[in-house]
Amino acid sequence: MYASLRSIGAYIPSKKLENADFEKMVDTSDEWIVQRTGIKTRYIADASQATSDLAYEAAKIAIERARIAPEKIDAIVCATITPDYFCMPSTACVVADKLGIKGAMAFDISAACSGFVYALSIAKSFIESGMHQNVLIIGAEKMSSIVDYEDRTTSILFGDGAGAAIITATDDKKRAILDVKTASDGEYQDFLITEACGSRNGCSQEVLDKKMHFLKMKGNETFKLAVNTLTQDVFDILQENHICAEDIDWFVPHQANYRIINAVSKKLGMSEEHVVLTVGEYGNTSAASIPMALNRWYEKGEIKKGQLLLLDTFGGGLTWGSALLYFNGD
Ligand code: ACO
């Protein structure tokens, strides 16, 4: 028995933030942002929306497209670094309730931008072990809740949104998730960090005054590690599965920076016509980035059943991962 990606769905909030909007907020320019990152717009959730609201909308679409009854879902795994609540309940439990699903295993995972690939790996293991038949995986983020809009080095990068997928059992290897690789290195834990309000630095007025509850990033150091790690990661997964870059229909990298995507694609020998690119439109949506990108290309009619996809991601932790799979959606 194999696991397969049966459907994809996404939700994009309605409020668009253009680069010109940031020119009014911080010392930056459209030219700098486009040249250094490729980002032109990003979408921001309404103040009344929490991560579970975005996740719910994406999950509804994925469930509909998989033509599966919600009660058939055995497990819900939500990847997020911006959960609705600090400790509990998990965002996955809140989503389960919104979907009317009772009794399914539901939990969150924290692997920053790598969250969706980590969730895919968990779902694959559940299905291949025979423990579950249908798993809903979600990558959802309200990054605007941890971004300091006075910090020009981070604020321009991130957007909100959600993506979801149904992972089901199949006996057809040509429709299956072939391999998922996940890894981490905590030595670089301070490259991407929100220093409070966890158990190390509890929430206090001092912490808020020092803006320690906002995301901080060592952008340049992260950039260099990202290019090397992402490239090695895809080389390894292709080699171990005896697959060449030319066999890949779509390369779907984490959408953090156009320059990173371009550098890795070039090293891989992948031409731009086979690279899914949404960073210009959505910015970096962390765990939601890959499923939102997949959904965009699916809705454009570009990603079709039976095509071979290569996912590649990198994020805070540091964490990274890649996946090789045939798309099994209709
Ligand atoms: N507008 C204008 N100038 C800026 C801005 C801005 N928005 N941001 C930074 N600068 C300035 C800096 O202050 C610096 O000025 P200085 O030379 O006077 O000190 C200069 O631009 C260069 O800064 P760098 O940080 O070296 O710029 P770089 O080319 O590295 O681009 C960026 C920064 C876009 C953040 C890039 O490093 C990057 O994309 N890093 C990787 C991000 C990533 O992959 N994150 C992982 C996933 S995210 C997650 O897990 C949640």
Side-chain angles (χ1 to χ4, degrees), residues 10-12 160-163 278 282 285 288-296:
Y11 173 77
I12 294 105
D160 300 336
T278 53
Y282 299 150
T285 57
S289 145
I290 285 189
M292 283 171 74
L294 274 172
N295 181 72
R296 185 81 174 97

Side-chain angles (χ1 to χ4, degrees), residues 28-328:
T28 191
S29 66
D30 174 55
E31 193 192 357
W32 191 96
I33 301 172
V34 173
Q35 197 190 42
R36 296 296 180 112
T37 70
I39 300 169
K40 294 185 180 116
T41 57
R42 67 294 280 151
Y43 293 83
I44 302 298
D46 187 76
S48 66
Q49 290 176 302
T51 295
S52 68
D53 298 313
L54 318 184
Y56 165 67
E57 297 296 338
K60 257 195 324 188
I61 298 170
I63 292 169
E64 257 173 53
R65 287 181 179 160
R67 292 196 294 277
I68 187 178
E71 57 271 21
K72 295 274 184 205
I73 292 171
D74 310 304
I76 302 172
V77 185
C78 182
T80 186
I81 50 167
T82 51
D84 283 25
Y85 302 105
F86 168 47
C87 304
M88 56 189 160
S90 70
T91 305
C93 280
V94 179
V95 174
D97 181 50
K98 286 180 198 287
L99 291 168
I101 297 173
K102 289 213 183 290
M105 171 194 246
F107 61 95
D108 290 357
I109 57 164
S110 169
C113 302
S114 310
F116 187 79
V117 172
Y118 268 57
L120 191 69
S121 153
I122 293 167
K124 179 176 182 283
S125 307
F126 280 160
I127 288 170
E128 287 177 353
S129 70
M131 185 175 168
H132 293 312
Q133 288 288 306
N134 302 300
V135 182
L136 167 63
I137 62 169
I138 303 168
E141 303 285 11
K142 187 176 177 184
M143 293 303 287
S144 57
S145 66
I146 56 166
V147 161
D148 176 3
Y149 284 96
E150 291 178 352
D151 176 3
R152 69 175 181 171
T153 67
T154 52
S155 59
I156 53 122
L157 300 170
F158 295 99
D160 300 336
I166 296 289
I167 312 300
T168 55
T170 179
D171 53 11
D172 184 354
K173 196 174 179 194
K174 279 286 184 185
R175 295 283 181 269
I177 300 166
L178 299 178
D179 198 6
V180 187
K181 297 198 145 319
T182 48
S184 70
D185 189 344
E187 184 187 338
Y188 305 103
Q189 58 192 273
D190 61 337
F191 276 27
L192 283 133
I193 191 165
T194 48
E195 294 169 306
C197 305
S199 58
R200 182 159 307 281
N201 299 299
C203 210
S204 65
Q205 192 55 51
E206 189 194 352
V207 147
L208 298 177
D209 291 344
K210 288 182 176 166
K211 296 184 166 191
M212 289 166 71
H213 55 303
F214 286 131
L215 173 155
K216 291 192 181 59
M217 178 168 72
K218 293 185 178 172
N220 204 268
E221 291 89 328
T222 308
F223 186 102
K224 285 176 199 148
L225 262 182
V227 173
N228 293 336
T229 309
L230 285 167
T231 308
Q232 191 57 49
D233 211 29
V234 284
F235 273 130
D236 289 349
I237 199 167
L238 288 175
Q239 197 178 37
E240 284 168 30
N241 288 278
H242 311 291
I243 286 173
C244 317
E246 302 85 68
D247 298 330
I248 304 296
D249 292 297
W250 292 108
F251 178 43
V252 194
H254 169 49
Q255 308 286 318
N257 186 317
Y258 173 71
R259 288 187 296 141
I260 297 178
I261 296 173
N262 197 30
V264 176
S265 309
K266 274 196 175 139
K267 287 186 182 196
L268 192 61
M270 188 69 90
S271 72
E272 211 166 83
E273 302 91 74
H274 293 276
V275 181
V276 172
L277 262 183
T278 53
V279 65
E281 191 179 357
Y282 299 150
N284 181 350
T285 57
S286 185
S289 145
I290 285 189
M292 283 171 74
L294 274 172
N295 181 72
R296 185 81 174 97
W297 250 239
Y298 170 76
E299 289 187 348
K300 274 169 59 169
E302 299 281 7
I303 289 182
K304 298 185 187 79
K305 194 175 194 118
Q307 287 188 329
L308 186 57
L309 313 179
L310 173 62
L311 317 184
D312 198 16
T313 191
F314 183 89
L318 293 174
T319 56
W320 60 93
S322 56
L324 202 49
L325 63 143
Y326 290 105
F327 184 66
N328 194 25

